[in-house]
Amino acid sequence: MRPMERCDVIVVGAGMAGASAAYWLAERGRVAVLEQEEVAGYHATGRSAAMYMETYGGPLTRGLATAGHAFLAEPPAGFAASPLLSPRPVLYVGRADQVEALDRLYGENRPRVPTLARLGPAETLEHAVPLREDYVVGAVLEPAAHEIDVDALHQGYLRGLRARGGRLVTEAAVTALVREGGLWHAETAAGTYAAPVVVNAAGAWCDVVAALAGIAPLGLQPKRRTAFIFDAPAGDGADDWPMLHDVGDAFYVKPDAGRLLGSPADETPSEPCDAYPEELDIAIGADRIMQAAALDIRHIRNKWAGLRSFVRDRQPVAGFDEAAEGFFWLAGQGGAGIMTAPALGALTAAIVTGAPLPDEASARGITVAQLGPGRVR
Ligand SMILES: Cc1cc2nc3c(=O)[nH]c(=O)nc-3n(C[C@H](O)[C@H](O)[C@H](O)COP(=O)(O)OP(=O)(O)OC[C@H]3O[C@@H](n4cnc5c(N)ncnc54)[C@H](O)[C@@H]3O)c2cc1C
């Protein structure tokens, strides 16, 4: 029989969600993070577009992104070797039939994000990207959006976890979860781990992990999203372009290390899996981008897909299951699990340990009840 390791909290999954929660939890107890893959960050976390936007998703997601800004802008000393954020404004563009959507986006967000600007056609066309004059009638500019150094953030959390005495165990898929004697016992090929609390941060697999413990699912739906890299026009300073984002969420394109990253912003329902891109989705994305901007998407240099996982109301869940003692859900981050991780990780540690919620979150009206799984049951 393999030895059993006793700790205070088991975290299942070492993506951005698990890593951020484990970092804060390790400050207050012994933490083991169990990851099925050889490398942490192999799934959704390693496949994102790396954006920080305060206008993205629903109200809770937006509040969480804003609450996490201070950490991203000024992480603790020694957390990362270089800044985690670099400026990348977002230009939400619209056609004549999307004027209402532009106005709505602006109206909903302007009170919270005072730097937001509503642009007419001429001002929109000034923004360097070769937008087609007969396509675009206006835009909303989010000037204070940023790119996140996802790897530095993720590795910073994992380094901090280790420095605080926590453990990351890779190639340790949790295959059984049993509650016995007030402890959850998580069985893996690397041994059994036991703790009073388990944090389910398994990304697209959160419902699968709950089923191992005999717990009712949240109805989490993983959705595939495709990204592809193509050449920027020669000598055009494309590195400085804003991210171009369709206001109806039908495509986006942004600079990426000297080239451009495009996406059809697809949301194809999927089983939890190692997601792969479909040629048709790439063709759809390229076509939509070329309708909006005079770009020539001939050679696809790289492509990938990842799963963004949603519960019914498309807002993240962070809270204890009402029916299963010590089982904590950290799920449903959708398309915002990188930008919301600083706030959600700290909130998870506060809720698990019964500490007051971080000021950054409570100042934005974020409550335990709002975050909990009861909301979607
Ligand atoms: C194309 C694309 C673009 C995106 N762009 C952005 C963006 O610009 N900004 C943003 O904030 N977000 C973005 N996202 C969303 C973001 O990537 C996700 O919300 C985030 O990575 C989710 O993190 P996670 O830790 O929950 O999931 P994951 O990174 O998938 O981690 C879950 C982990 O759990 C592990 N696991 C599962 N089951 C088990 C088990 N039984 N035992 C042990 N381990 C297990 C998995 O192996 C995995 O490593 C994007 C996503 C995609 C796909």
Side-chain angles (χ1 to χ4, degrees):
M1 218 175 102
R2 287 207 172 77
M4 188 182 81
E5 189 165 321
R6 170 77 163 84
C7 36
D8 296 310
V9 182
I10 295 166
V11 177
V12 184
M16 194 60 90
S20 57
Y23 171 82
W24 291 110
L25 284 162
E27 215 178 30
R28 306 169 199 190
R30 278 168 302 161
V31 178
V33 181
L34 308 177
E35 168 55 49
Q36 66 184 358
E37 304 292 347
E38 263 177 69
V39 182
Y42 175 75
H43 289 287
T45 294
R47 308 179 191 202
S48 88
M51 287 301 294
Y52 174 88
M53 297 141 86
E54 290 180 278
T55 50
Y56 194 75
L60 180 56
T61 300
R62 293 169 182 173
L64 289 164
T66 303
H69 184 270
F71 184 93
L72 291 167
E74 254 182 86
F79 184 88
S82 50
L84 294 171
L85 292 179
S86 47
R88 178 69 65 202
V90 175
L91 193 65
Y92 289 98
V93 290
R95 301 176 303 260
D97 61 320
Q98 292 176 307
V99 170
E100 250 179 57
L102 286 171
D103 290 338
R104 202 176 326 116
L105 178 77
Y106 180 71
E108 272 177 25
N109 288 285
R110 176 66 207 265
R112 238 178 358 94
V113 190
T115 51
L116 221 57
R118 177 75 171 87
L119 309 182
E123 291 164 298
T124 303
L125 291 168
E126 277 167 19
H127 277 276
V129 191
L131 280 163
R132 295 186 192 280
E133 267 180 64
D134 57 353
Y135 179 95
V136 70
V137 300
V140 173
L141 178 68
E142 183 180 351
H146 284 83
E147 260 166 358
I148 303 171
D149 185 335
V150 177
D151 188 54
L153 179 63
H154 189 222
Q155 291 305 322
Y157 283 134
L158 294 175
R159 229 184 353 264
L161 163 75
R162 288 190 205 97
R164 292 170 174 182
R167 285 188 62 194
L168 165 65
V169 191
T170 52
E171 296 182 273
V174 174
T175 50
L177 260 180
V178 181
R179 183 89 179 165
E180 235 174 52
L183 298 177
W184 284 105
H185 293 73
E187 258 175 51
T188 79
T192 300
Y193 292 78
V197 173
V198 61
V199 173
N200 178 11
W205 288 266
C206 279
D207 272 352
V208 177
V209 167
L212 292 176
I215 293 170
L218 288 187
L220 191 71
Q221 178 62 67
K223 297 188 174 189
R224 190 179 67 234
R225 174 150 295 187
T226 308
F228 53 91
I229 301 288
F230 58 99
D231 289 337
D236 216 2
D239 275 349
D240 297 329
W241 289 357
M243 177 190 218
L244 189 67
H245 204 296
D246 172 44
V247 70
D249 219 5
F251 66 85
Y252 60 77
V253 56
K254 61 171 278 223
D256 186 283
R259 292 192 161 131
L260 294 172
L261 181 160
S263 173
D266 44 339
E267 290 200 347
T268 310
S270 165
E271 292 299 309
C273 67
D274 189 356
Y276 279 89
E278 300 274 345
E279 288 306 323
L280 181 62
D281 290 324
I282 294 171
I284 290 171
D287 180 56
R288 289 176 183 168
I289 291 166
M290 289 191 293
Q291 279 181 40
L295 291 168
D296 184 9
I297 308 183
R298 230 174 290 177
H299 302 296
I300 302 299
R301 301 287 179 181
N302 192 10
K303 57 189 171 179
W304 66 89
L307 298 178
R308 300 152 75 250
S309 301
F310 297 91
V311 295
R312 201 175 55 223
D313 66 1
R314 295 177 68 96
Q315 310 267 325
V317 172
F320 280 109
D321 193 280
E322 303 87 338
E325 202 187 342
F327 189 92
F328 191 97
W329 290 90
L330 184 53
Q333 293 86 344
I338 309 298
M339 62 182 108
T340 54
L344 276 175
L347 279 160
T348 295
I351 300 169
V352 165
T353 59
L357 298 191
D359 290 345
E360 291 86 354
S362 16
R364 278 156 192 97
I366 294 168
T367 64
V368 175
Q370 250 180 353
L371 291 165
R375 198 187 79 223
V376 290
R377 280 250 158 84

